Structure formats: C-alpha cells, structure tokens
Amino acid sequence: MNRKKTYCFTAIVGQEDMKTALILNVINPGLGGVLIRGEKGTAKSTAVRALAELLPLRRQVKGCRFGCDPDDAAHLCDECRARLERGEILEAEEQPMRVIDLPVSATEDRVVGTLDIEHAIKTGEKKFETGILAGANRNILYVDEVNLLDDHVVDVLLDSAAMGVNTVEREGVSYSHPAAFILVGTMNPEEGDLRPQLIDRFGLSVTVAGEHEVERRVEVLENRLKYENDPEAFFQEYEPKQAELRARISEACARLPKVTYSRAVMELIAKICIQLEVDGHRADIVMLKTAVTLAAYHGKDQVEKEEILQAARLALPHRMRRRPFEDAQFDFSRIEELLRE
Amino acid sequence: MKRVVYPFAAVLGQDEIKKALLCNLVNPMIGGVLISGEKGTAKSTLVRGLEALAGSQRLVELPLNITEDRLVGSIDLSRALLEGRSVLEPGVLWEADGNILYVDEVNLLSDHIVNTLLEVAAGKQNVVEREGISCVHDSRFVLIGSMNPEEGKLRSQFLDRFGLYVEVQGERDPAARVEIMSRRLEFERDPLGFLEAYREETARLQRAVTKARELLPKVEVTENALALAASLSENVHCCGHRGELATVETARALAALDGRRMLNTEDIREAARFALAHRAREIAPGTALPPEGEPDSREDRDRQDQETQQEENQEPAENPDKTPEEERNQDSEPQTSEEQEKPAEQQDSENTGEESGRREPSRQISDGEDREGDFGESEEVQESGEAFEIPRWQEPPAFHRVNQGAGKRTLVKSDNHQGRYVGYRTAGGEKAEDLAFDATVRAAAPFQKNRKKNGRAIAIEKADMRLKIREKRTGGCILFVVDASASMGANRRMTEVKAAIVSLLNVSYQKRDRVGLIAFRKDGAELLLGITRSVDLAQKRLAELPTGGKTPLAAGLDLAYEVIMGLKMREPEVQPVIVLVSDGRASGKKDKNSNPFAEALKSAERIGNQKIRTIILDTENGFIRFHLCGKLNEKLKGTLLTMEELRSDGIIEAVKGYAAPLA
C-alpha cells in the first residue's frame, strides 16, 4: 500500500512555534521530542503527520529490525553488535525517518514487544516479537491524546524515553533493545493533565491556539478547501515550498555538528534556569541543545542571544517548578532582562 | 543490550548519593539505598554508572512492567517442549543474587511484584514453586531504588527495606550547571571517547572500592559507637532495629572508604543521616516525612542538617571522651526539634515565610470577622485557605474486607482486559477469556511427551489454561458536593472548606483520581465540573465558587445521584465517592408542602440505598449545633467528619484512608 499523503506541512498557516519545534527535532533527534498542547482543531495532529513528508534520509543497517545506525557503535542492538564482533560488515542502506503511531488504546505487550506465541508453539523455541518501541528506534514516536494514555504504558515510555533502551522482562522473555525515539505528543489540556514525570521527558513544549485574525482564518479555510477539492493539485502547488524546506533541513543537519557555543552562552542558560527554578538539569541541557539546533537551522555557526531566547521559549515552560494547582505563568520578561545584562 | 553509560566519575556534585551508593558497594550488609528527588538530577545515571565500579558485581535492572514469571523464574519453555524436561529458567531474582538490583521509578512498581520482592528481600531466598518446578535458590542483592516523589509514595513496609535514603536536588551554582551541561553534550557527541577520557578516574574509584572492601572486615565497632547509633535511632522514634543496624554498617563502610580501621562518632552521625531519615516515625501529624517528598520537609531537613553541621563545627571533630549520654542529648536537637512538635498549621506558615511567592500566605481561619450581615442574596468569592498536608495514609485494615478484595485505591485488579499483566492464575472452571498464552504454554510444556497431539505441535488441555492477572492504576473518582449558600460565607467558613477540599485534591492529584464538583446554592444545584482527570480544573472552579442565597441541599444530592449513576453505567468497575460538604441545614424547597430537610433526607436515602460511598464533611460550628448531618448520615450510611476532626490529629488520615480504597 502506498503511503497516503496527509497534508502539506508548509501549507499550515501560522503556528510557527509548533512548526519550529517539530523541525528542530528532525534536525537534531537528540532534543527529546515535543509536547504540543492546544484546543481541538488547531492542526496539531495534522502538523505531526505532515512532518512525515519532510523527513530526511539516513543510513541504517540493512535488515536490522531496530534500524541501527551503522556509524554509531555505542548504540547498536545485540544482533548488530554480534555481527560486528563476528567480523561481518554491516551493510547500510538509506531510509527516511518515519512517524510511528502509538495509539492510545495500544496494549502494553504491543508497545514493548512480547513472546512470539506462534513461533513458540510451532518450534518450541522462544523468540522475542518486537513491539511498537522497536520500530520507533531512531524514528518519531507519535502519541495523539498523550494525556489519555494508560498509566502503565506511560511508565514504560518513561524509561525508554530517558535511556533510549527498551528492557523487557515479561511473559517469559528477557530482552533489551535500543529504542531511542523522538517522542511527539499532542494533547488537549481540557481533558486532563500529563504526569509530571512524563512531561519532563519531552524536550520541548509548545502551546497552540486557533488563529484569531479573520484574514488568517480565511487563509486556513482556503487551504483546507483546496486540499479537499483536489489533493493532487494541492500537493503540486506546495511542492516547491516543501522541497525548499527539505533542503533547509538537510543543510541544517549537516551544519549541526559544526555549531559552536561560548562559555558565556552556557552561563546565561544556567542563570536563566536557576532564576526560573526549573527542576533538575534536564532543562539546561535541552535548552543548550535547542539553541545549538536553532543556530544550525538559522544557518549560523555560533549560538547567539536570539537562539537562547527562542530556546527558552521552547524548552522551559513545561519545566517550571510549580505546586499542583498553581497556574504556570511563564514570564519572559525575566529572561529578556537576563539577556540584556 | 549492552549500553554505554555516562560514567559515575563524570557526574558533578551529588556527593550524598555517591557516598551512599559507594557504601553499598563496599558493604552489602547495609541493605541498599533509595534515592528520591526531582526529575533530571542524575539519579538513574549515577546508579547505572555504579556497575563500572562494582568489580565482579553486576547491575541487574528490574523494569516496571516485569511479569511475575520473569521475576521469580519459570519453566524453561524450549527445553520442556523439545526435551520434555522441567528445568528452571532463572528469573531476575536469580540474576540479582550477589549483585545489585535496581528499580527505577520504584514507587510505580505494581503491588503484586512489590510483595514478591519484599518477601525475597526479607528471606534472602527465592522459592520457586510453579509449573512443576520446585526449587529454592539464594537471592541476596543490594536493592537500589530511585523515584520522583511527585508520582506518589512508597509503602512504608517497602521503604523500610532500603538501608539508606538520600534526597537529591539540582545544583544551584551557575558554574557547576555549566560544567554539567558541557559534560553531557560532550558525552552525547562522542560517548565512547567520553568514557575513555574518564577511564583513569573510574579506575581510581574502582580501586578505592576494592581497597575498602578488603579493609571492611577489619573495621572495629566500639561499644560507644553502637550506643550512639542506638540512641540516635531512638531519638527519631525509629521502629525496629533496622535503622541502627544500617547506621552501624554504613559507618563501617565510611571508615573503610576513608582507609581507617577505627570508627569515629563522625562516621556514625554521617551514617545516621542516611539511615534514619526515612525511618523516623511521625511525631506530630502534619510533619511530613522525607519520603513524602514535600518540598517543605526537604527544606526542613536541610536546615536541620545545617544546624547539625554548625553544631559540629563548633566542637572538635572527634571527641572520643564523650559519653553516649552526652551524644544523645546533643543529637536530640536536630532531629526532634520543637519545630516538629508544633502544630502543622504553624509550621506551614513558617515555611510560607521562607519560600515567599510559592504559596499563598496562610489565612487565619476564624479571624473574628462578623459576616452575619452578608446573609441574603449577596455573593462573594472566598479564596481557599492554606491547604494542609494530608499525611501518608494508612490503610485501615477493615477496608479490604469491605471492598470485597477489590484492592486499594491505586491498584485495581482489573477484569476487563485493561491494565498491566503482572501474573497469572489457573482458569479453573472459568471461561478462558484473557488467556495468558505464555503461561498456558509453559504449563502444558512438561507433559508434551505423553500427550496425544492429534497433528498439533503442542497439546494444550483445559487444566493448562492460565488467565492473566492484571493490575490497573485507576485512581479513585471523587465527586464533591459543596454547600455554597450564604451561610457558608459566614465567618469565612468557605475559606476553611476550600482548604479542606484543596487538601483532598492534592492527594487526588498524586493518585491521579478523577474529580467532579457540584455546588448547590440559590435555586438549585449546578454541576460546575463534570467528572474529569483535570484536578487543576477542579481547583480553579472551586476558587471561583461564589457563595450566597438559599441552601437547596436536596437538589445538590439529587444531582450528585444522577452524575454518579451515569458514571456507574458507563464504567461499572469504578467505585465513586461523594464528598458532601455541608452543615446539613437546608432551605428553599422543591414543593410548597414539604420541608427542605425532609426532602434532603429523601434524596440522601436514595444515595444510601445504592450503596454509593459517601463522606460528609460537617461544617457546622459554633456553640449551638443541630447535628443535622448526623441525621443525614443515617440515610447516607457514610462517614461523618467534622471540620475540627479534619484539622485535628489523626482524623485526616482517616479520611485519607477512607478515600484510599475507593477505586
């Protein structure tokens, strides 16, 4: 079956923060994903699904069920490692990054993987049947309505999201494999909160709202109608823009390792995080990585204040320490003040 | 899968956890360590990095979603099917023997697994009796757990299993944070190169551990040291002797790490800080224990620690002449300081002063303001009073029985194929729904040689059928029905009531309960918030709740009845609770001939007949009381609590305990 095209990422009107956050994660999969919060009908899931059309090609080991990176010796799965140790050469192929869906109704055994019953009955041998997390390795793992996910599935996500490894000790199976995925979640905050521990696993967070300008709203409508009337023509119309963005992403990917940052940048980030009383150190680290990735996306070789400010906007709001029931108010003026100093 | 772990030696700061972990490497008699702290503070990084220092010991991880068969071990399926032999395939407890067993997010572990783990940790042996396998093997491990207290608490029984307890916080120093950032990015850029860079330092630490392990048997423990440990433990009202044993063993490890054969008092004191904090028994209600993860208590403790240090700085570091008696007197200071004996409220307000901006300043509840004049149709919105902490709940034992074994609040044995598969049971005569395939095949495996297969690869008989045991964390469902009439505006009563509700909501937040809110005032009842998981929203609605007008109690109860019955229809497994907040007085009748209170009683009876669980918070105060809630409660057949009781010692626990097995 041919993959059905969803919508054009570039045809989404406004929602710049959300779009930037998603693109940054594609450029730098180490950012830790993004949580998109917003009301119904604000193109949240459309954006994530449309992202699939922009994902770059990358090298992966041919035939590996986890899509290991042949150039990253530190994160190979057991099978690839064993092959390497036997002296085999890992053949590589180019495949695009993918968006893997984690439906809210998914059962735990489907998420983490389980004993292959059929194999066990037929041959009497135990075999690990991989789950969604295996396929998500080095890809985007997308959870729509992430706040409605069953608690025990969240528990599983917590560990693999932090460590990039899925450890299975269940149903007679003992296995662990790489599961370094980009966690992308969308949610409507009216339907309940996300557990604090899971929120922290998301590298970035953005809040989207419907457009309020009439002109913009008209534009949204026009695009949507165009798409529904004649999807093919719609895709063709946007293809140049899509190609441009694709090129920009792959350029940024190439530039990313070369971006540098001064000690002053790090000091500033540390100061901001201390000022805002964020929990732990993940905020600092994510903020620095985000600033670096932004610089790459902006075509710069050096992180500047502009990137820090934008990184703060993306990496900090969901990490502000707050007691339950306090409104999380994110005060940018404090950051801007610090930046001016 | 072998993973590349951030080296222990490269973690900046966090000296307390490092020390506690190293002590456990040196001396397995300590009994492990529990690390509690906010997210992103290198908790699990440190533990995972420990393996590189542990010599022959390995770090065995116990994932949250482990099933029982993998924990204790089960029949080796392949050998049973192919060779017809029953051989044990060892589980995690076997692997953990002589090693380190690590549970990340240990507070989220399912009860089923915790029980098994506790049993083995206590007996140091794993007894396997299942699937035709009968075997006993040693299972002595150093148990390490890490948790974020925001996600809920640990059972006290489980807590006590951990020899030591450490709390972590992030670094506050900008320079240190910069260093942490840059090391982490360096590691991510080139993990293998980073390991190489810290190889020397790692080797140094490893040597230190090895040396300390050799020295440990030679470390002498004097009578004085033992007496000091015992008195410290007594001073914080530790139950049992595990606290002082852990203290002494840790002190030995500290001395060994320091290359000394003699214990000094400093070792004992330092060890006691690790070993006693989580065992200190509550002295006054409202004194949050460290494992409850209340930020306040952490600060308290820090302050106490500082005091201890100051005190110690004033005296010579070692004073062997001191008698244990003197020690006791001195050490009683920081631990049982007056602070803890103060009523919770007072303590709260003190803390508020310190962490200005993080809390609303506490409001005096009966500030003598005369608001009688506000009676009538006027509306006002009173803010919530200072929320009080609801201490760790203790399950009233009766509840399990009342609840027909449905389990406690957080964990419901679910029968509708939802929830985590934690174990299995024989099907008996039941219909084999939700079959545990793996367990069924394992059960059938040993008999394959002698069974007729009729062309099938494996013959399964009815007796082999195993069904899944699942556990689901549902949280409770609490519907608040709040009197918002004018009388509640009097004497700032609403402030107090809101404080009480917020306290319950605080608990609900952690337990991920669902909540709803009904207010009755003026001409009727209003569903301000349908049953939702957003506890935040409930709090907001509550804050906005105006008071004023008559008291249509019956209407409030009727609406509650409808909401709950609707919920029960959709989700039969939910056992919701109604919390009625009222003084029992009713006004504003539905029809002219009846009396409002009689109407309310009728409505209450309807709820009582449905066996819907209810709690009445009786807000009646003053000298003249009508005890109307008591009459109401006869019909509701619930629990009646007065505000005074709620505030005063112990009863809060009762509510909490009551609210506990609701699910």
Side-chain angles (χ1 to χ4, degrees):
Chain A
M1 191 186 98
N2 251 338
R3 202 154 43 105
K4 207 181 127 229
K5 278 191 184 179
T6 43
Y7 196 72
C8 287
F9 194 81
T10 44
I12 295 167
V13 179
Q15 318 290 24
E16 294 306 328
D17 272 355
M18 170 174 76
K19 287 194 269 187
T20 313
L22 286 171
I23 290 170
L24 291 181
N25 271 292
V26 174
I27 297 171
N28 183 359
L31 284 185
V34 53
L35 173 65
I36 305 170
R37 287 191 257 213
E39 323 154 12
K40 305 170 273 282
T42 40
K44 299 187 299 285
S45 8
T46 310
V48 180
R49 294 189 194 288
L51 195 65
E53 301 295 317
L54 300 173
L55 297 176
L57 291 171
R58 42 174 213 173
R59 279 156 57 79
Q60 65 181 55
V61 175
K62 205 169 172 182
C64 174
R65 23 180 198 165
F66 309 105
C68 284
D69 182 352
D71 307 318
D72 181 9
H75 299 99
L76 288 180
C77 70
D78 286 343
E79 286 146 42
C80 288
R81 188 185 297 274
R83 284 175 60 189
L84 210 58
E85 276 162 12
R86 281 199 302 269
E88 285 178 41
I89 291 167
L90 300 175
E91 204 182 326
E93 60 180 356
E94 291 221 317
Q95 287 287 336
M97 196 191 255
R98 288 177 301 150
V99 178
I100 308 288
D101 264 295
L102 176 69
V104 168
S105 60
T107 56
E108 195 173 1
D109 52 346
R110 276 303 303 140
V111 176
V112 300
T114 184
L115 174 73
D116 186 337
I117 304 277
E118 200 184 318
H119 193 84
I121 290 179
K122 275 192 186 146
T123 66
E125 280 166 14
K126 268 196 317 195
K127 202 178 117 193
F128 177 66
E129 187 184 350
T130 56
I132 292 173
L133 290 183
N137 186 36
R138 301 181 65 216
N139 288 316
I140 292 172
L141 183 67
Y142 175 46
V143 196
D144 194 10
E145 315 262 20
V146 61
N147 49 339
L148 304 183
L149 210 57
D150 259 347
D151 265 341
H152 56 276
V153 178
V154 171
D155 293 345
V156 171
L157 282 187
L158 289 179
D159 195 50
S160 23
M163 295 307 298
V165 176
N166 175 33
T167 310
V168 185
E169 291 284 358
R170 47 188 287 119
E171 299 173 60
V173 184
S174 174
Y175 199 84
S176 69
H177 67 76
F181 47 82
I182 303 171
L183 185 61
V184 175
T186 51
M187 63 179 270
N188 181 354
E190 282 169 16
E191 284 163 3
D193 297 311
L194 215 54
R195 287 162 53 184
Q197 195 82 351
L198 184 59
I199 286 187
D200 194 53
R201 293 290 192 267
F202 287 97
L204 313 179
S205 83
V206 289
T207 303
V208 289
E211 287 292 342
H212 290 295
E213 277 170 56
V214 176
E215 232 169 87
R216 285 289 189 91
R217 290 190 85 109
V218 171
E219 203 182 325
V220 172
L221 268 177
E222 276 175 354
N223 279 352
R224 192 72 213 180
L225 286 178
K226 245 192 269 173
Y227 165 72
E228 275 168 22
N229 283 338
D230 186 355
E232 255 339 287
F234 176 79
F235 288 126
Q236 259 172 26
E237 186 191 329
Y238 276 95
E239 188 44 40
K241 273 194 182 173
Q242 294 274 95
E244 193 191 313
L245 185 54
R246 256 180 240 133
R248 201 173 157 201
I249 289 174
S250 66
E251 224 170 86
C253 287
R255 188 184 295 272
L256 184 66
K258 294 175 218 141
V259 177
T260 57
Y261 42 89
S262 62
R263 195 177 162 83
V265 163
M266 288 197 281
E267 275 167 7
L268 193 55
I269 288 173
K271 241 193 253 167
I272 291 173
C273 290
I274 292 169
Q275 269 276 312
L276 297 181
E277 296 196 344
V278 293
D279 270 347
H281 297 281
R282 207 170 270 138
D284 309 38
I285 293 163
V286 171
M287 200 171 145
L288 180 56
K289 286 200 266 187
T290 309
V292 169
T293 315
L294 271 166
Y297 184 49
H298 293 162
K300 294 181 190 170
D301 291 326
Q302 267 252 307
V303 175
E304 284 166 27
K305 280 190 179 177
E306 181 198 346
E307 280 83 32
I308 297 179
L309 185 63
Q310 207 177 345
R313 201 200 304 280
L314 295 171
L316 296 185
H318 59 302
R319 292 208 165 80
M320 306 280 289
R321 192 196 299 240
R322 60 170 205 148
R323 297 176 70 82
F325 317 129
E326 258 173 25
D327 269 321
Q329 293 227 325
F330 194 54
D331 192 358
F332 272 107
S333 54
R334 281 155 82 190
I335 293 177
E336 276 161 9
E337 238 168 69
L338 279 168
L339 279 172
R340 245 179 276 128
E341 274 169 22
Chain B
M1 179 192 152
K2 232 182 97 190
R3 51 178 118 175
V4 179
V5 185
Y6 190 86
F8 187 91
V11 175
L12 199 78
Q14 307 296 19
D15 294 332
E16 294 242 309
I17 324 180
K18 283 184 185 168
K19 212 171 240 177
L21 288 173
L22 288 177
C23 281
N24 270 290
L25 276 194
V26 171
N27 185 358
M29 294 293 288
I30 294 169
V33 54
L34 174 66
I35 306 169
S36 164
E38 59 190 40
K39 337 170 247 285
T41 39
K43 296 187 293 289
S44 52
T45 306
L46 274 168
V47 178
R48 290 185 168 122
L50 205 59
E51 193 172 26
L53 313 178
S56 60
Q57 274 185 313
R58 281 185 311 126
L59 185 83
V60 179
E61 286 205 39
L62 196 157
L64 285 182
N65 59 350
I66 192 167
T67 51
E68 201 186 348
D69 60 284
R70 282 301 307 141
L71 181 67
V72 298
S74 62
I75 187 168
D76 185 324
L77 190 63
S78 307
R79 294 187 69 177
L81 287 177
L82 300 176
E83 300 167 25
R85 292 175 51 199
S86 293
V87 184
L88 175 79
E89 170 157 51
V92 168
L93 287 172
W94 188 84
E95 283 171 49
D97 185 32
N99 293 316
I100 306 163
L101 184 63
Y102 176 45
V103 194
D104 195 11
E105 315 283 359
V106 61
N107 48 341
L108 304 180
L109 204 60
S110 76
D111 263 11
H112 199 83
I113 301 296
V114 168
N115 291 339
T116 312
L117 194 60
L118 284 178
E119 212 180 292
V120 176
K124 315 238 179 279
Q125 277 190 331
N126 179 30
V127 184
V128 191
E129 287 291 353
R130 49 199 290 145
E131 293 151 353
I133 299 239
S134 177
C135 127
V136 178
H137 65 76
D138 277 353
S139 184
R140 295 164 189 273
F141 46 81
V142 174
L143 183 63
I144 298 183
S146 58
M147 62 179 264
N148 177 357
E150 274 178 296
E151 295 267 316
K153 288 146 198 182
L154 214 58
R155 269 155 67 182
S156 62
Q157 218 186 338
F158 198 8
L159 196 59
D160 193 44
R161 264 300 143 204
F162 290 94
L164 310 181
Y165 172 85
V166 218
E167 248 170 50
V168 247
Q169 262 182 309
E171 283 287 340
R172 309 296 300 161
D173 172 37
R177 286 184 92 115
V178 166
E179 190 55 34
I180 289 169
M181 254 186 277
S182 78
R183 282 188 197 175
R184 184 73 213 182
L185 261 73
E186 213 179 298
F187 172 72
E188 284 180 18
R189 201 163 276 194
D190 177 13
L192 298 176
F194 192 79
L195 282 194
E196 194 53 44
Y198 280 89
R199 186 204 285 273
E200 193 61 31
E201 184 63 15
T202 304
R204 196 189 61 77
L205 273 172
Q206 200 189 340
R207 279 196 302 274
V209 169
T210 314
K211 239 174 87 190
R213 277 177 175 167
E214 283 161 11
L215 189 60
L216 186 76
K218 295 173 200 145
V219 175
E220 285 167 39
V221 184
T222 61
E223 284 289 314
N224 269 2
L226 286 177
L228 175 58
S231 70
L232 287 176
S233 166
E234 202 187 306
N235 276 328
V236 291
H237 304 264
C238 276
C239 24
H241 293 281
R242 218 170 266 151
E244 54 219 75
L245 287 177
T247 306
V248 173
E249 293 298 340
T250 309
R252 287 178 64 213
L254 285 170
L257 276 169
D258 204 23
R260 282 181 284 117
R261 286 183 185 205
M262 278 301 287
L263 270 187
N264 59 37
T265 53
E266 183 54 36
D267 293 331
I268 294 276
R269 279 157 189 272
E270 191 173 1
R273 276 222 303 275
F274 293 130
L276 300 182
H278 58 304
R279 294 198 168 92
R281 219 174 328 174
E282 281 165 86
I283 297 157
T287 312
L289 281 180
E292 310 217 329
E294 302 301 338
D296 305 336
S297 69
R298 176 162 53 210
E299 267 147 52
D300 277 355
R301 223 167 55 93
D302 280 354
R303 194 167 52 218
Q304 286 167 13
D305 286 349
Q306 276 163 20
E307 279 168 21
T308 320
Q309 272 160 14
Q310 276 164 13
E311 208 179 293
E312 281 166 5
N313 289 343
Q314 283 159 12
E315 61 188 66
E318 268 184 65
N319 195 345
D321 297 334
K322 223 183 287 175
T323 67
E325 200 53 43
E326 276 168 352
E327 294 284 353
R328 180 204 310 244
N329 288 341
Q330 288 197 330
D331 275 279
S332 63
E333 285 294 330
Q335 300 288 356
T336 47
S337 62
E338 307 125 66
E339 211 169 70
Q340 293 195 3
E341 318 240 319
K342 279 179 198 165
E345 255 175 84
Q346 209 174 329
Q347 203 186 331
D348 271 353
S349 56
E350 274 177 16
N351 286 337
T352 311
E354 277 178 16
E355 332 155 352
S356 52
R358 282 180 51 193
R359 276 187 175 198
E360 291 279 294
S362 130
R363 290 194 80 98
Q364 285 299 310
I365 278 143
S366 37
D367 50 6
E369 250 179 287
D370 188 1
R371 294 195 163 258
E372 293 295 322
D374 285 348
F375 269 80
E377 292 297 303
S378 68
E379 283 187 359
E380 61 165 338
V381 176
Q382 289 181 13
E383 54 195 286
S384 300
E386 176 73 6
F388 36 89
E389 309 295 357
I390 297 195
R392 175 172 43 175
W393 56 276
Q394 281 155 1
E395 257 172 284
F399 264 105
H400 273 297
R401 267 169 267 137
V402 173
N403 221 3
Q404 287 132 23
K408 57 180 210 210
R409 175 194 220 166
T410 44
L411 294 167
V412 177
K413 291 269 156 63
S414 98
D415 52 3
N416 56 358
H417 302 203
Q418 288 178 340
R420 171 174 296 156
Y421 168 32
V422 289
Y424 58 86
R425 60 199 164 92
T426 49
E430 274 176 73
K431 209 174 136 215
E433 269 185 36
D434 203 15
L435 195 72
F437 279 109
D438 59 314
T440 305
V441 173
R442 278 200 303 271
F447 312 108
Q448 291 308 307
K449 264 191 168 172
N450 309 322
R451 279 189 188 166
K452 266 196 207 146
K453 301 219 173 111
N454 295 332
R456 285 169 298 172
I458 174 168
I460 292 177
E461 289 178 6
K462 189 127 202 196
D464 304 328
M465 297 289 197
R466 299 289 184 273
L467 306 184
K468 287 182 176 172
I469 297 177
R470 293 174 182 270
E471 267 182 16
K472 191 181 171 191
R473 216 181 292 263
T474 56
C477 175
I478 304 176
L479 180 63
F480 290 94
V481 183
V482 182
D483 179 353
S485 66
S487 61
M488 294 296 284
N491 294 330
R492 307 211 58 82
R493 226 198 293 176
M494 201 61 195
T495 307
E496 193 178 355
V497 164
K498 282 181 180 177
I501 299 177
V502 168
S503 311
L504 287 172
L505 283 176
N506 257 317
V507 176
S508 301
Y509 178 82
Q510 286 173 342
K511 296 279 173 199
R512 295 185 283 290
D513 291 332
R514 289 182 299 167
V515 291
L517 180 63
I518 289 175
F520 52 95
R521 61 189 204 95
K522 278 183 161 174
D523 310 316
E526 202 184 336
L527 182 63
L528 291 177
L529 183 69
I531 301 292
T532 168
R533 272 180 43 149
S534 176
V535 176
D536 258 342
L537 224 49
Q539 204 270 343
K540 260 180 221 154
R541 293 283 189 279
L542 188 71
E544 294 158 4
L545 179 70
T547 52
K550 292 176 192 151
T551 321
L553 178 55
L557 289 172
D558 285 347
L559 185 58
Y561 178 82
E562 280 165 33
V563 170
I564 295 293
M565 292 315 280
L567 183 76
K568 280 191 131 176
M569 201 85 111
R570 287 196 305 273
E571 301 167 54
E573 82 273 10
V574 175
Q575 294 190 17
V577 175
I578 297 175
V579 177
L580 174 67
V581 186
S582 162
D583 58 2
R585 262 177 280 188
S587 61
K589 41 195 149 178
K590 279 192 282 191
D591 79 86
K592 282 191 181 126
N593 301 321
S594 74
N595 120 5
F597 188 68
E599 275 177 4
L601 285 180
K602 225 192 244 165
S603 305
E605 191 168 9
R606 193 155 62 132
I607 293 175
N609 287 342
Q610 285 294 333
K611 298 204 167 60
I612 298 170
R613 217 175 274 253
T614 47
I615 301 174
I616 306 180
L617 276 188
D618 187 354
T619 61
E620 187 171 52
N621 58 8
F623 290 112
I624 308 156
R625 298 194 178 187
F626 299 97
H627 302 290
L628 293 172
C629 281
K631 287 179 192 148
L632 215 49
N633 193 40
E634 279 167 26
K635 301 287 181 196
L636 284 171
K637 303 182 191 85
T639 305
L640 179 67
L641 295 167
T642 64
M643 289 300 290
E644 287 93 349
E645 280 174 321
L646 190 66
R647 279 265 174 198
S648 70
D649 307 6
I651 300 292
I652 297 168
E653 250 165 64
V655 183
K656 185 63 195 65
Y658 195 91
L662 305 180

